[in-house]
């Protein structure tokens, strides 16, 4: 097991990464302050891992362990589903010392975290991510929330977990599509702040796709380390943390247009990163060969490299203007200054942005 730390002063917390961690009671108990725990999971994850986590928790004498099983999918990341968590907490009489435990992917982690942030004005929670995307990204950093039909993650709060427990064995039950979606976020870290890691990914993508345990463990640890360092510098996304959103403004527009759940978040981010790279190339920041190399890497990872065929420029723009990163009516984009360095700007030429949005299937083929 490897342990990383998200350094936030007296609110710092560990990230445990390794195999067989779900069963280790000693990893949970230091982070449970009261005598009540509510496990929040979904219909897909519950049959696989719920009993293992309950058994580990029940090794603590006198601990009340309850559960709520939500429907699975981004389409259910909304206020209606969130109320099911509140219902369970109130029906089981959970008090202000309760701990919520998010067992699942990014949707479960975001919703459980937001429930924890708002139940009785804030209670503790633990992240136990079971997908690659949630292990390398959404479980770390304290972003929580739900979607609205007009925008993704527009309702939420910053609320840090007590710990993150990433059991890499859960990758063995992950569908291929979910694996690819997680790798999109892994590639993102290389692009925005870790060029050596990006080069490693270019050499090791076949091993990741084959679920080589060593390659996966390295990619998860390196990604978590990158995110932890960024979050420690900028917890509430007032500056550098926004670079973690490379490709997300384009990607969120795709998810919103298609209907949440039609495209996985990582799939939309993959296409969005290539759009951001295409715009970065048009601005002269990266070279044509670098753009083509990214396209090839995304394809190796089984990710889409174009947006939906039925999305028009107006479809993109109408959704990009309600993205969280819009400031004073101006779209702010995360782009590449070079491979391994990102920048945040609202000074993008509208003409160049339109060229990227109009490029369609020619993205990445300058």
């Amino acid at each position: 097991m490897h342990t990383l730390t998200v350094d936030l002063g007296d609110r710092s917390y560990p990230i445990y990464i390794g195999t067989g961690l779900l069963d280790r009671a000693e990893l949970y108990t230091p982070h449970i302050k009261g005598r009540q725990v509510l496990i929040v999971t979904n219909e897909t994850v519950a049959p696989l891992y719920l009993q293992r986590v309950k058994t580990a928790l029940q090794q603590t004498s006198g601990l009340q362990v309850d559960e709520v099983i939500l429907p699975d999918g981004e389409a259910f990341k909304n206020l209606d589903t969130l109320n099911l968590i509140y219902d369970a907490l109130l029906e089981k009489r959970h008090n202000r010392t309760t701990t919520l435990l998010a067992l699942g992917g990014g949707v479960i982690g975001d919703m459980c975290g937001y429930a924890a942030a708002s139940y009785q004005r804030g209670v503790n929670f633990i992240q136990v991510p079971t997908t690659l995307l949630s292990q390398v990204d959404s479980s770390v950093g304290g972003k929580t929330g739900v979607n609205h039909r007009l925008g993704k993650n527009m309702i939420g709060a910053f609320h840090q977990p007590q710990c993150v427990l990433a059991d890499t064995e859960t990758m063995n039950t992950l569908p291929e599509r979910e694996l690819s979606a997680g790798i999109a976020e892994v590639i993102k870290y290389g692009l925005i702040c870790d060029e050596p890691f990006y080069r490693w990914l270019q050499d090791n993508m076949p091993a990741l796709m084959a679920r080589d345990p060593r390659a996966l463990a390295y990619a998860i640890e390196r990604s978590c380390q990158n995110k932890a360092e960024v979050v420690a510098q900028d917890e509430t996304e007032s500056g550098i943390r926004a670079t973690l959103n490379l490709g997300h403004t384009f990607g969120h527009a795709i998810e919103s247009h298609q209907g949440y759940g039609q495209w996985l978040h990582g799939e939309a981010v993959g296409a969005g990163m290539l759009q951001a790279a295409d715009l970065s190339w048009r601005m002269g920041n990266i070279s044509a060969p670098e753009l083509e190399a990214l396209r090839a890497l995304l394809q190796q990872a089984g990710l889409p490299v174009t947006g939906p065929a039925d999305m028009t420029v107006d479809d993109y723009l109408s959704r990009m203007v309600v993205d969280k990163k819009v400031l004073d009516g101006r779209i702010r984009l995360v782009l590449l200054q070079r491979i391994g360095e990102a920048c945040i700007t609202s000074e993008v030429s509208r003409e160049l942005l339109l060229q990227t949005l109009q490029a369609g299937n020619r993205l990445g083929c300058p």
Side-chain angles (χ1 to χ4, degrees), residues 82 85-86 89 100 110-120 123 144:
L82 187 70
I85 304 176
Y86 298 135
L89 288 165
L100 276 62
D110 282 7
M111 287 200 296
C112 179
Y114 187 45
S118 50
Y119 183 66
Q120 299 200 29
V123 298
T144 72

Side-chain angles (χ1 to χ4, degrees), residues 250-299:
F250 298 100
H252 287 170
I254 292 171
E255 290 181 89
S256 177
H257 177 267
Q258 294 302 99
Y260 296 120
Q262 297 303 306
W263 280 51
L264 295 179
H265 175 65
E267 293 172 333
V269 167
M273 285 195 299
L274 194 61
Q275 288 172 307
D278 179 273
L279 183 53
S280 301
W281 163 71
R282 294 176 192 275
M283 294 172 64
N285 294 350
I286 65 172
S287 69
E290 288 173 328
L291 180 58
E292 279 302 303
L294 174 58
R295 178 187 179 91
L297 187 63
L298 293 168
Q299 288 176 318

Side-chain angles (χ1 to χ4, degrees), residues 347-361:
E347 304 297 326
V348 174
S349 157
R350 181 176 176 84
E351 180 182 354
L352 294 182
L353 175 60
L354 292 178
Q355 287 177 16
T356 287
L357 295 176
Q358 291 164 350
N361 290 334

